[in-house]
Structures are given as C-alpha cells and as structure tokens.
Amino acid sequence: MAKKKNDDINFAPRGRGTEKDGAVQKGVDLPKPTKKKHKSLGLTEDNLKAMYEQMYLQRRFEERAMQQYQKGKFGGFLHLYIGQEAVSTGTVFALNDDDDIITAYRDHGWGLCRGITANEGMAELFGKKTGCSKGKGGSMHFAKTENHFWGGYGIVGGHIPIGGGLAFANKYNQNGRISATFFGDGAVDQGALHETFNIANLWGLPAIFAVENNGYSMGTAARRHTVTEIVDRAKAYGMKSKVVNGMDVFSVYEAMKEVSEEVRENSEPYFLEIRTYRYRGHSMSDPQKYRTKEELDEYQKIDPIERLKTYLKDNKIMKDEEIQEIEDKVEQEVLDAVEFADNSDFPDESELYDDMFAEEEPYFHN
Amino acid sequence: MAELQFREAIREAIDEEMAREEKVFIMGEEVAEYNGAYKVTEGLLDKYGYKRVIDTPISELGFSGIGVGAAMNGLRPIVEFMTFNFAVLAADQIINHASKAGYMTGGQITMPIVFRGANASAGQLGATHSVAFDSMYAHFPGLKVIYTSEPDDAKGLLKSAIRDDNPVLFMESEQMYGMKGEVSEEEDYIIPIGKGKVKREGSDVTVVAHGKMYHVAKQAAAQLEKDGVDVEIIDPRTVKPLDLPLIVESIKKTNRCVVVDEAHPFAGFAAEIGFLIQREAFDYLDAPVQRVTLPDVNAPFAKNLLDAWLPSPKNVIDAVNQVTYRN
Ligand SMILES: Cc1ncc(C[n+]2csc(CCOP(=O)(O)OP(=O)(O)O)c2C)c(N)n1
Ligand SMILES: [Mg+2]
C-alpha cells in the first residue's frame, strides 16, 4: 500500500456513514414511539393529568429561571433540560418512589419530578439558604435524598459508578429497590462508564443505566464523539439494552416499567439509550453554531409536552379549559417561586463551614 | 508592545510553536470545530487542519495518555483541558506516567508534553469546578508547573513550555482569558521557565502572588499605597522550579512577607514558600511570614459565601497590616 501523504492524515472523528470530517449533522435518529394508549400502559386519566402538570412545571420553571439568569439574579452555569422533560417524567412515573435516581448537572427537571418544590429549586438557583441544597450547590447540584433523588453531578461520567454503588447497597440490603443513573451522550466516552458496566454485570447489580442522548455533547454531535451506536456499548459487557424514544412520555414510561421490573426481578443491570433533544444551548453562553435552525424546528414540532396535550384533547380526557387551568396553576407556582427565591436570605456566612464533616465541631486546617 | 487578550497571547504562542515545529500538535475537548470552549484555539483548525488540531471525546484519561505515548514516541503534544478540575481524571497519566517514565527507564524516554488549561475558580461554579491544582502537581518530582498572571508572561512561558523536553503543566484562568495586557512583539519571545518577576517595586513588605491572585495583590497594594505602605509584589510565574532567590532578595530589603495563593492552606504553595523563607532568610525577617489562602473548605455556590471563600484584597491588606504591625 502506498504511504499516505502527510496532508491526508487527520484525526478528525470518522463518524459513521457518509458524513465528512467535522460536518455538522443530525445528532440522533428517533425510534418510533409506542403505539399503546394510556390504558394498556396501565396509566389512569389522573396519572396523565399529573404527568402533564409535571412536564409543564419543568418547562415553565426553566423558562422563568432563564429570565432570572438573564436579569443577573444568579450566576454560574445554567444547563436547561427543555425538550427532554418526557425522560424524567416517564421514568419517575414508572419507577417506585423509593427507587434511587442520580443524574448529571442537567438536573432541574429530575429534581422537580422527584419532589423538589419550585420554591426549593428556584431558591437553589439563586444560591439562597432555602434552596434544596441550602445554596451550596446551585443549578448543577439539586438533590433531595429523602425522596431518593441523589442529585446532579458536574464531572462528566463521575456519577456513573456511584449509580452502581446505590444499586450495590440496595442488593446488599435486599430492600427490593433499584437504581437508575442518567447521563449525557458525552459521558459514554468516559472510562468510568466502561468499568462500571463490567462490574455491574459481573456482580448482578440491580441498576438501570440510561443515556439521555440529546444529540450533542456541548458543540459536538454525538456521531462525532463516539463510534458505533451508543446502545451497543452494552454488548461488550453482555448487558441487556434498548433504544427508547425520549420525545414521547408514553414510550419512556413503557420502557422504564418493563425494564425496571426485569432489573428488580433478576438483579441485573440494563442499559437504555433514550434519544431526545435539547432545545437550548449547552449552557447560557453557547452560540449554537453547530446545529441548524431547521433541525431544532424539527424536534420542536414533536415537542413532548404538546404531544401529551394533543393526546389529552384527542382522547377527550381534558378540555382546553381544564388544561388552561393546570397551566395557570403552574404559572402561578413558578412566579411565586421566583418571588420566594428573591425574598429568601443568602446563607449565613457561618454556614460556609457547615456540611463538611460528620462531626458537630470538625477540625479545619488553618 | 501589542495589546492582547490573555487568550490571544496563548494562541500566539501555540500558533508560533506549531509553525516552527511540525511535531507540535494540540488536542482536547472542543479545541477544533468549536474553536475552543474559551476560544483560545480559534482559527487554528483552519490554519493547521485536522492532523494537528484535534477534537477529543470527553475522555480525559484516554487522550492524556495518548498524548504521553505520542510524546514518548517523538511528538510534542499540547493537551488542553477545559479546566484542570477535569484533569483530575487524567491524574494517573500525568502523575504516574508522564512524570516517571523517563526516570524508571533509566533515561531512555523523554517526555516533551504540555498539559494546559484553566485552573482554579471561575465564579459560581460549585465545589467540583473551583479547585487550584498548581501546588498539588508541583508536589510531584518530574513535573514543571507554570501559572501566569498576565498575557505577556503567558506568551513567553508557553513558548518555553512547548519547547521544553519535560512534562509541563501550564495553567490559565477562565476569568482572565479576556483580560488585556501589553505583550512583547519581539520575534520569538521567550521567557525562561523558573524566572519570577518583580511586578511592583516597594520597600515595606514583599507580597508573593501568582496567577489570578497577582491581581488581588495588586489591588491591595494600590489601597495600601494610599495608606503609606509600599508593597513589593513578586510574581514567581513558575511555581516549580521556583525562583526562590528573587523572593529572598526582596525580603532582604523589606524584611516582611505575605504569600497569596488561591489554593487550600494545607501543604500548599504558601506553606512551601513560608518554609523556604524561614530557612533562607530567617535573619532578615521582622515578622512571621503570613499567608492568604482559601479556607480548608470546599467551594460554595452562594454568591456571598463564595465571596467570603475567595482570597480578597481585604484579606491581603489584613495580612500586610499584621506583618507590618499596623493593627
Ligand atoms: C470530566 C469532565 N470533562 C469535561 C467537562 C465539561 N463539560 C461539561 S458538560 C460537557 C458536555 C457533556 O455533554 P453530554 O454528556 O452529552 O450531556 P448534555 O450536556 O448534553 O446533557 C462537557 C464537555 C466536565 N464537566 N467534566
Ligand atoms: Mg448530550
């Protein structure tokens, strides 16, 4: 074989298929949503109403949070979950309330879904002492452990083994609980994932690992940072796996219900690739040159919240006025939360040293 | 002199060294297509192509190790971390491999590699994104550590780092990338590694401060001047090897010293300097050396707590008042 000329050598991601080096292209292909209707999924009309309220809350909470950020009410990173609400909602409705959930820094939706109130969430964004993490964590570190929501974590992939550890403890204690660990498509390239998958299957940990493949890891399309389909990561470790449509709350619910039962029953790990889309930039400072407006539009046309709303109306479960009522209620809840956060106090300066050690009066080096 | 942003000075250094030496290449997350998470590498992909400006997956351990292997095998990699907080994942490659391979093979291996990126805090980013790692890496034999405060230093020292035949950690600050400063237009402008600089001359007290803390010290000095206290600021620029003679010389003149460091106090840069001063300049001291550091506590998110956590000009002034017995 002729020696390649230097100019031909490059280390750009090869991607798959026809894509050229570095060419921006669609992040994900969605699998078909489930055809099942709510009854055959075991969901009641009240469940659907609650789901709608929850998804709408996540959406409005973040839209208001964004406004407050732009007004300079708080600083730091703000990673919005907008577009992905079906994933958190479908999951939380499918799992038992005492199953353990852990996620990455794009965590507001997860927190709200697991019982962090709008007040506690907004106050955390503002860095107030009334926040769910007492203002110590901010946007990336929502947590409510009493509800088995172990929090959002900011080191990409860092919490994947921890999710395995939650499952380890559940198995150890024979308490019948399982864990569900969520992370972005960028995290599948971290060694932590691979080590954890191997151990999880080796030891039969009752753990669901789920990637929220929203098409992009910061400015890098999923297909530019990883080889093979992400779901195929499971194959190397003999783990069961599935691809799920994350723009449809029913599809997420259905998959999570089935998978959680299997994981609980057999004490074994499971890998889900949930395909979804984030509407906003990676964080607030992202000019989003890596994707087209058309691509964004395509996903906004199949918005998960609109989709559920249409279902509710088409199936005569709720009338327009009833939906409006829910939306008004949520709107008020979120506005109240902004006011609550604004009026809350910052932590007292003495609290800087709190929460570091288990002791009442720990040692601090000076 | 040209007025450049910090990021531009760093980019110039990389660009010039890439133009000069074909074996130099850069890799890291978002360095190519996205033009750098902080726009440091803007335009380099267009200029040098996919062979030498390389986007990596979020695999810090993997790509750092690939850098180490490439350096062993004759290339001169620049490995960019979005921040050194994420280099924690690559610590095995930096600490166990880059710093040791040459030694444990009896000198058969050379390791010309630069690990660079933002260090320390950058606003309200929480506990995992706010740590200063320069003195931690300086702890390990076989590594050189640079953390500069101004664009001119950055340019000259980064060029030296890229030419150095050893692993060098070159640290920057997210909050300083936009900061402007005069940068020498001298052709092939090089600052030798290990040379500090007197950044402000004064006769009453020596303040040692590097990286972002230099600017905190500078603000404190401006205020102290109004109070009639004449501060000398030494910026070591290179943490290791340390320009100890420059510090000692200054103390012989001022007889007092405060060290400002954006790391936690235990076994940090400030602790080391304090020890060295008592060993090398004990007879010249009129007061115990004081330090201003972060507290022994993780970074909080809340704005007011973060402000209390970070070393401030006020903290520096208090320490200066202490060593000058003005309180
Ligand atoms: C170890 C580590 N490396 C890099 C980063 C910087 N970073 C934060 S988020 C991110 C992209 C992650 O994308 P993805 O996993 O797809 O999650 P998404 O943001 O899409 O939810 C990067 C590179 C980090 N936080 N941690
Ligand atoms: Mg993603």
Side-chain angles (χ1 to χ4, degrees), chain A residues 26-248:
Chain A
K26 208 170 137 196
V28 285
D29 290 321
L30 288 175
K32 290 225 159 9
T34 181
K35 288 208 175 74
K36 286 191 189 157
K37 304 201 88 174
H38 70 280
K39 277 193 199 130
S40 49
L41 289 169
L43 286 165
T44 65
E45 293 192 356
D46 281 346
N47 288 152
L48 298 194
K49 290 177 192 170
M51 273 180 166
Y52 185 76
E53 180 170 340
Q54 179 52 239
M55 284 167 79
Y56 193 74
L57 171 67
Q58 292 177 38
R59 178 73 52 97
R60 291 304 292 154
F61 177 91
E62 287 201 316
E63 283 168 349
R64 289 285 178 200
M66 186 171 67
Q67 279 180 351
Q68 297 303 307
Y69 186 91
Q70 283 159 346
K71 274 190 183 172
K73 287 286 181 184
F74 61 94
F77 288 141
L78 183 67
H79 307 95
L80 299 176
Y81 194 62
I82 295 178
Q84 303 181 213
E85 296 93 342
V87 183
S88 55
T89 308
T91 300
V92 167
F93 276 78
L95 296 187
N96 295 343
D97 286 345
D98 62 354
D99 286 335
D100 297 288
I101 291 179
I102 187 166
T103 189
Y105 48 85
R106 204 175 291 284
D107 59 357
H108 311 144
W110 286 104
L112 291 170
C113 216
R114 261 297 166 94
I116 291 175
T117 64
N119 280 358
E120 290 166 341
M122 198 64 77
E124 190 58 38
L125 294 180
F126 279 56
K128 299 297 179 77
K129 67 194 287 182
T130 49
C132 57
S133 302
K134 299 188 211 159
K136 289 274 179 71
S139 162
M140 298 199 288
H141 308 302
F142 277 26
K144 190 154 190 159
T145 58
E146 64 184 87
N147 290 0
H148 302 269
F149 174 55
W150 292 94
Y153 293 84
I155 298 296
V156 170
H159 68 289
I160 297 174
I162 300 176
L166 297 172
F168 181 96
N170 287 337
K171 181 168 183 167
Y172 195 100
N173 291 328
Q174 294 180 278
N175 60 17
R177 284 155 43 193
I178 65 171
S179 75
T181 305
F182 294 83
F183 42 90
D185 48 282
V188 304
D189 303 328
Q190 287 286 27
L193 176 128
H194 295 264
E195 297 182 23
T196 306
F197 278 17
N198 183 52
I199 297 176
N201 208 11
L202 192 66
W203 293 346
L205 301 182
I208 298 171
F209 296 99
V211 54
E212 290 187 72
N213 182 358
N214 58 9
Y216 295 91
S217 162
M218 220 169 246
T220 306
R223 287 184 173 142
R224 291 186 51 244
H225 68 68
T226 189
V227 291
T228 78
E229 294 289 346
I230 290 176
V231 66
D232 291 341
R233 291 285 198 276
K235 284 188 191 157
Y237 303 99
M239 261 164 85
K240 290 183 185 163
S241 62
K242 202 181 256 193
V243 179
V244 184
N245 183 320
M247 300 304 282
D248 173 40

